[in-house]
Amino acid sequence: MAFLIRDGVRLHYQVTGEGPPLVLHHGFGGSWSAWRYFGFVQQLKDHYQLIMPDARGHGLSGKPHDPRAYSMSERIDDVLAILDELRIERTHFLGYSMGGLVAYGLARRAQQRLRSLIIGAAHPYEDHSWETFAGVDGSNPAAFITALETALNERLTDEVKANVLNNDLWALSAAAKRKRPSMEHVLPAIALPCLLYCGDADARHAAVERCAKALPSGRFASLPGIGHFEGMMRSDLVLPHILPFLAGQERGA
């Protein structure tokens, strides 16, 4: 494991594997270990150097309780700081849910650092669903879960609830309070190969598909019968789309 300090916030990340660099950015309430637990690392590490950060507020990274610490600008700077620390000029980037939002942000501000984007269950359109966290501060776990289920329009399994609650809920509540303005304007300017995917039981499915069509080089993969959290858990359904996409970029396709 490795750490760096950026503007007073500790950032934890893991690096494993050999090959072209590939950043794996987890979603809200997760950590880098989700990529390993759900089988992504095993399938990718023999072909790529995997850089897996714990986003601020998550895992072993610092957990500010101030919503101002969770702006998109801060999240982008965190990723760039890790790339700079590792002396990586350009990388493939796979982001799921919250990690997908970071991908759109990176494409807007630092596209020259990216080789391709893979985005799961995230779109750049204005999103008011997270306003359910307006009165949530982390002191009441049940209220936190209710707000999260409402934001995602999805009931959580007991396993997912346990994983989410094994976090600093004050930090996650602060992160959830950040407004999610539209980044739609960046889509025509993303001159990168992009693969977007989403479960067709995920409330975001139509918006993610719409986004893929708006990208100059966008592809879309629909996962049948899969909800939001399952899209992170089912590497067996996701990797058959990701692996050939990445291989095609290495061949220059």
Side-chain angles (χ1 to χ4, degrees):
M1 67 178 64
F3 296 89
L4 63 84
I5 305 294
R6 193 190 74 74
D7 286 352
V9 176
R10 183 179 73 168
L11 302 177
H12 167 252
Y13 60 97
Q14 292 275 348
V15 181
T16 189
E18 296 183 0
L22 168 61
V23 174
L24 306 181
H25 197 299
H26 64 81
F28 182 80
S31 73
W32 82 271
S33 62
W35 300 108
R36 181 182 63 187
Y37 185 78
F38 294 117
F40 288 88
V41 172
Q42 182 179 359
Q43 295 294 315
L44 292 168
K45 65 183 178 66
D46 291 338
H47 307 284
Y48 301 95
Q49 180 192 27
L50 305 179
I51 301 101
M52 299 171 285
D54 276 337
R56 56 175 55 212
H58 298 72
L60 297 178
S61 287
K63 299 173 177 62
H65 291 178
D66 184 345
R68 292 174 296 182
Y70 296 96
S71 68
M72 179 56 67
S73 179
E74 295 287 359
R75 294 192 184 281
I76 293 168
D77 285 341
D78 288 347
V79 173
L80 294 176
I82 292 171
L83 293 179
D84 290 345
E85 181 76 7
L86 296 172
R87 299 182 180 179
I88 293 173
E89 290 297 322
R90 298 180 70 213
T91 181
H92 300 292
F93 190 99
L94 164 56
Y96 192 78
S97 192
M98 179 184 74
L101 295 178
V102 176
Y104 292 118
L106 280 165
R108 180 181 61 184
R109 178 143 71 83
Q111 191 167 163
Q112 74 279 5
R113 304 296 298 270
L114 302 171
R115 294 187 60 192
S116 71
L117 289 178
I118 305 170
I119 298 174
H123 63 77
Y125 308 115
E126 188 174 18
D127 186 356
H128 295 286
S129 60
W130 290 81
E131 292 175 2
T132 58
F133 278 91
V136 176
D137 62 9
S139 61
N140 185 331
F144 183 94
I145 291 296
T146 296
L148 182 58
E149 289 182 330
T150 303
L152 297 176
N153 193 27
E154 183 172 304
R155 294 297 299 273
L156 307 186
T157 66
D158 289 342
E159 178 187 8
V160 171
K161 285 181 184 178
N163 287 334
V164 170
L165 293 175
N166 189 32
N167 279 283
D168 181 331
L169 297 187
W170 292 84
L172 292 191
S173 296
K177 286 182 173 64
R178 292 297 306 187
K179 292 184 178 180
R180 300 193 176 198
S182 174
M183 292 188 280
E184 182 179 359
H185 64 280
V186 76
L187 295 179
I190 299 181
L192 297 168
C194 299
L195 170 65
L196 277 62
Y197 65 92
C198 192
D200 66 4
D202 188 327
R204 288 145 188 78
H205 184 271
V208 176
E209 184 176 19
R210 170 188 164 198
C211 177
K213 292 177 180 177
L215 289 164
S217 298
R219 310 178 193 179
F220 179 68
S222 181
L223 309 178
I226 297 300
H228 189 75
F229 277 96
E230 282 183 291
M232 179 70 205
M233 300 162 72
R234 294 295 302 275
S235 63
D236 59 318
L237 298 180
V238 174
L239 285 172
H241 297 284
I242 289 176
L243 289 169
F245 172 79
L246 286 172
Q249 308 321 308
E250 295 306 316
R251 292 194 304 267

